[in-house]
Amino acid sequence: MKSQDIKSQDPKDEQLIENKELSIFEALIPILLLIAILAYNVYAYGDSATAGPNQFALIIGGAIAAIVGFLNKVTYKAMMEEIAKNVKSTAGAILILLMVGALSGTWLISGVIPTMIYYGLQILHPAIFLPACLVICAVISIATGSSWTTSATVGIALIGIGSTIGMPLGMVAGAVVSGAYFGDKLSPLSDTTNLAPAMAGTDLFTHIRYMTITTVPTMIITLLLFIFLGLAQTTNGSGDNSATLTSINDAFTISPWLFLVPGIVILLIIKKTEPLIALLIGTLLGGVFALIFQPELVAKIGGSSHLSFVSGYKGVMNAITVETSVETTNQMLSDLFSAKGMKGMMSTIWLILCAMVFGGVMEAIGALTRITDSLLKLFHTTFGLFASTVASCLALNLTASDQYLAIVVPGKMFTKAYQDKGLAPENLSRTLEDSGTVTSALIPWNTCGAYQAGVLGVSTISYLPYAFFNIISPFMTLLFAAFNIKIKQLTTK
């Protein structure tokens, strides 16, 4: 998924809080009221709901959950300790978000992103653009094991290319997220790919092999859908990009040497360098390359007509920290060539922190365990067991706002149930990934959904209908369970 350094502790050590006094109705009250408030926020504010209203809605949801907790004798101290633990667990995610903001700034003024767009416009025809986005992101994510790094590097460039050729950005972001999570889900370098089998009690490569049974058909369907959408969108993109290419050339020095920067970052990730360190190196390299390839632009951003040590320092530092834009002769490109820097990530960080408050209180009062336990008791057939696992993962992604908890809690709760049904543990590990890993990016207040929206500059609601891989995956695992296809049984020795 994101990085091994996102959590300050091993997710497998997560303690589940039980509260026998809490009823399922009481556990659901905060969720139902929160969903109602969030739905109204979307109606009232549209895409701008995540600019503040949703953050406060999560705080209100946490307050409602706290009232339920007080009525069930859960102390204020216990709730605050769980909130603190949740907030602490997001330290790595917050640092990565800040570093992505910094990286996008230096990659803009250095010409890295404009160069990727420049060559991409010449290679990626509108008819094949969407499926190409899917495949490129899938390959990068398989190689790096990180959907977050994939979005922060090639994803940003693909959004830029899509904007230039007139592709709806929701579709482009949907293709990026779909490809990124395909690799995230299957790569042995991904932490969620390692976490799911650890929770279910199987080994990594057995888990990966078994996961391909549902993942490959899902990816094929996703690819076909994007091929169809790409062909349908061809008429909206301009066939002549010469004016656009000229505008990019006028604003930046374009050079294949600039591909060294993203190449080095991707290589570092493949070599198992922590993403936070790799992104920092990518940011610093972007600053150095900006001074080498775009000295006049850096000086201008630094408030001077010529490059000096002071103007160079200020130009790079401004790109890293605050909003930066580059004017071109093409208004569309002028809108595109802007970066928000570290400052631009603050609304996303704000959303994550508020989500952790809600999730922390829900965990402290025992609501998460109660909901999962009730789902487990609700179904008695094999299909029902798979369905309850999927529902549990979705509920945890919605309420705890954390992808790890959506794998850890159901993994711990359902292990024995799968054994009692005579099902091999890889059934559980596959279902955890098919529902817990991929659906996290579809929820605006989940850390993954907030991250993808913040990095790509496209709201979660906008790309959600086109994140086909993420939407289809849980249905695919249920389809296989319903028809008893490749459902491995425990072998008796």
Side-chain angles (χ1 to χ4, degrees):
M1 176 220 157
K2 332 163 199 178
S3 153
Q4 270 75 15
D5 67 347
I6 294 304
K7 289 271 185 178
S8 57
Q9 62 180 32
D10 192 329
K12 297 192 289 293
D13 297 332
E14 186 75 41
Q15 297 298 311
L16 308 183
I17 297 174
E18 294 186 22
N19 184 351
K20 293 181 180 178
E21 296 182 6
L22 189 73
S23 68
I24 183 62
F25 173 73
E26 290 172 318
L28 289 172
I29 287 174
I31 298 171
L32 296 175
L33 291 176
L34 174 64
I35 290 173
I37 298 170
L38 291 170
Y40 190 77
N41 281 347
V42 172
Y43 168 76
Y45 289 92
D47 287 350
S48 61
T50 55
N54 282 356
Q55 283 88 331
F56 190 67
L58 287 161
I59 296 294
I60 292 296
I64 294 166
I67 293 170
V68 173
F70 290 139
L71 294 174
N72 284 276
K73 301 175 184 176
V74 180
T75 65
Y76 176 80
K77 182 181 178 182
M79 295 182 205
M80 289 305 298
E81 285 177 352
E82 201 62 34
I83 289 171
K85 188 171 76 173
N86 271 18
V87 171
K88 183 180 178 182
S89 75
T90 64
I94 289 170
L95 289 172
I96 284 179
L97 277 166
L98 289 173
M99 203 50 58
V100 167
L103 177 138
S104 65
T106 61
W107 281 24
L108 171 65
I109 65 166
S110 64
V112 170
I113 291 174
T115 294
M116 294 170 80
I117 293 173
Y118 182 85
Y119 288 109
L121 284 173
Q122 299 177 66
I123 297 170
L124 297 174
H125 188 273
I128 65 163
F129 180 69
L130 290 174
C133 285
L134 178 71
V135 173
I136 290 168
C137 289
V139 171
I140 297 297
S141 191
I142 281 279
T144 63
S146 172
S147 57
W148 284 36
T149 305
T150 301
S151 299
T153 52
V154 295
I156 294 173
L158 290 170
I159 289 289
I161 297 169
S163 175
T164 305
I165 63 177
M167 282 285 175
L169 293 187
M171 289 185 186
V172 181
V176 169
V177 170
S178 292
Y181 275 84
F182 170 81
D184 188 308
K185 187 179 166 197
L186 283 180
S187 174
L189 300 177
S190 168
D191 51 0
T192 54
T193 308
N194 284 272
L195 180 61
M199 297 311 305
T202 187
D203 67 272
L204 173 63
F205 289 102
T206 298
H207 166 65
I208 291 174
R209 284 194 300 270
Y210 199 65
M211 203 160 42
T212 58
I213 295 169
T214 55
T215 303
V216 171
T218 301
M219 188 60 169
I220 291 171
I221 293 170
T222 301
L223 181 61
L224 291 173
L225 287 170
F226 278 118
I227 289 173
F228 173 78
L229 279 179
L231 292 172
Q233 291 293 321
T234 303
T235 54
N236 294 337
S238 171
D240 182 14
N241 293 315
S242 57
T244 304
L245 296 174
T246 300
S247 295
I248 297 173
N249 247 326
D250 290 341
F252 297 93
T253 299
I254 302 299
S255 170
W257 287 107
L258 289 164
F259 282 107
L260 277 174
V261 179
I264 289 170
V265 172
I266 292 169
L267 181 62
L268 286 170
I269 299 294
I270 293 171
K271 293 294 183 181
K272 299 186 179 180
T273 305
E274 292 290 351
L276 183 59
I277 297 171
L279 292 172
L280 174 59
I281 292 171
T283 299
L284 296 175
L285 283 175
V288 172
F289 274 60
L291 295 170
I292 296 171
F293 287 90
Q294 323 292 340
E296 293 180 4
L297 177 59
V298 174
K300 183 179 178 182
I301 294 171
S304 176
S305 58
H306 66 280
L307 186 66
S308 65
F309 180 84
V310 174
S311 65
Y313 176 82
K314 288 177 66 178
V316 173
M317 191 60 72
N318 287 345
I320 288 172
T321 56
V322 296
E323 188 169 348
T324 306
S325 59
V326 179
E327 294 296 323
T328 71
T329 54
N330 184 315
Q331 184 57 47
M332 181 187 66
L333 287 176
S334 296
D335 295 337
L336 176 63
F337 290 152
S338 63
K340 298 177 181 179
M342 297 170 77
K343 182 180 177 182
M345 291 296 165
M346 294 311 296
S347 63
T348 303
I349 292 169
W350 179 20
L351 181 66
I352 289 172
L353 291 175
C354 292
M356 290 302 101
V357 171
F358 176 71
V361 178
M362 288 291 286
E363 173 65 12
I365 68 175
L368 303 186
T369 304
R370 173 63 65 193
I371 292 167
T372 304
D373 196 37
S374 298
L375 285 168
L376 182 58
K377 293 176 181 176
L378 193 61
F379 300 103
H380 302 286
T381 64
T382 298
F383 174 76
L385 183 58
F386 278 83
S388 60
T389 308
V390 170
S392 182
C393 291
L394 288 170
L396 266 295
N397 266 328
L398 281 164
T399 56
S401 307
D402 183 272
Q403 184 188 52
Y404 283 114
L405 282 175
I407 294 173
V408 171
V409 175
K412 287 187 175 182
M413 297 293 292
F414 286 85
T415 300
K416 190 175 184 302
Y418 277 75
Q419 290 174 352
D420 292 344
K421 286 285 184 184
L423 299 170
E426 46 265 42
N427 290 288
L428 175 57
S429 65
R430 183 178 74 185
T431 308
L432 293 174
E433 288 257 61
D434 279 340
S435 49
T437 298
V438 299
T439 59
S440 59
L442 304 178
I443 299 161
W445 57 91
N446 189 287
T447 51
C448 296
Y451 175 88
Q452 296 295 338
V455 167
L456 298 175
V458 181
S459 71
T460 313
I461 299 301
S462 296
Y463 72 66
L464 188 154
Y466 305 105
F468 299 125
F469 180 80
N470 306 63
I471 294 169
I472 297 169
S473 288
F475 291 103
M476 186 63 72
T477 204
L478 290 176
L479 181 68
F480 274 62
F483 290 96
N484 200 30
I485 303 169
K486 296 290 184 180
I487 304 300
K488 190 175 180 181
Q489 304 295 310
L490 279 171
T491 54
T492 44
K493 295 184 180 179

